[in-house]
Each structure stands twice: as structure tokens, then as C-alpha cells.
Amino acid sequence: MTSSGLEDAIQSLALDDNDDDNGKETCCNKSATNSFLSDLCSLPSDRTSGTKSNNPSPNSFESYEDLKNYTISQILKIGVCPSLKQEHPEAYIYFHELLQRHPDAQRKKVAMIVDIGFKRFAKVSRNRRTLSVGDYQMRVQTSDGDEDSISWVKSMRREDHSVEKKLTSAMRHAIETHIRRFRSSNRNTACVDCGVMSTLTVNHINHF
């Protein structure tokens, strides 16, 4: 309940002096009620409760590239942060939703996450002033008191280890030699979509 909501409750629960039948005793009850509800207003609350995030939902992006670029921009903007829930509640909502997509969500106890943070990888030099997105490690805390690292990249890709995924990977591996031979023999061939000849990387695929 918000502070304003509690104030309304105070007004609705306050006793009307015109209807007092018990005089002084009713006044005491009124004072006690107001005191109790006023104390309730001052209780700490979860900062993300009722927080309406201005960040887009991870599921609202039209392509993997858009999702990736936005997520990276958020990580670089926030930097090292022990608690998104306390310091960046809107970002906490975004990343909490993003991690629901993790392919190993059950083992990572995603449903039990109570806080998320970014820390510098131990291998990254302390003398480095500017960090890249790869220098940050995402850490999550769960309601059972555990803390663990988790991959936001896997959460974006929704990687899975199903039989179908393994079969597709095996088939791709089986023709890898033929793909390399084809690329080598067509280095001077322009892309039929954009005419580019400088790279053999396929850029015209929506990875979603």
C-alpha cells in the first residue's frame, strides 16, 4: 500500500466526533487508530513494488540485434552495481524479465531471484578505467541466500539443448567443410542483396 493510500485509510477509519457515544473512550480509540496507521505509512517497502518501468520489455524487440544493442547499452550505462533492485529498480525489472528466458532457468533458480548485480570480472585489471561490456559479470541472489553468476547472452538467445538443437548443430558441422570451400571459391562474388564484397558474413538474417 502506498503512503497516499494509507492516508486515505486513516481518513476513512477515523471516528466521527458527532457520532461519539462513548465520549473520551472513543477519542482514545481514534487516536490509537491514527497512530497505528501513521506508523504503518513509515514502514519500508520493496522499491520495485508498484514500480512502473519505462524500459521496454525484452520480449518486445523485433530482432536479436535490437535486443542485444539495448541490453549492452543498459549494462554500460549502469556499470558496476551490487544491487540493481536498490540502485536501479527499473533496470532490475528489465533484467529480471530478461533472465526468465535463460535456457537453464531451473538450475539457475531464476524463479527465486531477489536481486541482480554487475561486478567486474576478477581477470580485469583494476587500473583499467573504461570497461567494455565483456568485462562485467552478472550476479544474481536468490531467496534461499545463494549467489551465482548467470549469462545474459544466453538469456537473449534463448539457447536450448533439445534433441532438435543438437541435430541441427550436428548437421551444420557435417557440411562445414563444404561451406568453407564454397566461400573460398566465391570470394569475388558480390552479395545479391546489397552488393557487398568485403565480407563473407551473412548479415541478412533475423536471428529471431
Side-chain angles (χ1 to χ4, degrees), residues 6 15 19 24 26-27 31 35 41 49 76 78 80 96 115 119 127 132 136 148 156 159 163 165 171-172 176 182-183:
L6 287 173
L15 301 176
D19 295 332
K24 185 176 181 181
T26 305
C27 263
S31 177
S35 177
C41 286
S49 295
L76 294 177
I78 295 169
V80 175
H96 190 278
D115 206 348
K119 66 181 296 184
N127 296 325
S132 65
Y136 294 102
D148 195 9
M156 290 193 303
E159 296 178 359
V163 174
K165 184 75 172 182
M171 293 170 66
R172 185 180 295 111
E176 185 175 355
F182 174 81
R183 287 178 173 176

Side-chain angles (χ1 to χ4, degrees), residues 8-28:
D8 293 338
I10 291 173
Q11 294 178 2
S12 64
L13 289 176
L15 301 176
D16 189 346
D17 289 339
N18 294 329
D19 295 332
D20 288 350
D21 293 327
N22 299 321
K24 185 176 181 181
E25 182 181 353
T26 305
C27 263
C28 292

Side-chain angles (χ1 to χ4, degrees), residues 1-16 30-42:
M1 184 181 292
T2 64
S3 178
S4 59
L6 287 173
E7 290 173 357
D8 293 338
I10 291 173
Q11 294 178 2
S12 64
L13 289 176
L15 301 176
D16 189 346
K30 177 180 178 182
S31 177
T33 300
N34 289 346
S35 177
F36 168 74
L37 291 174
S38 294
D39 289 342
L40 199 58
C41 286
S42 64

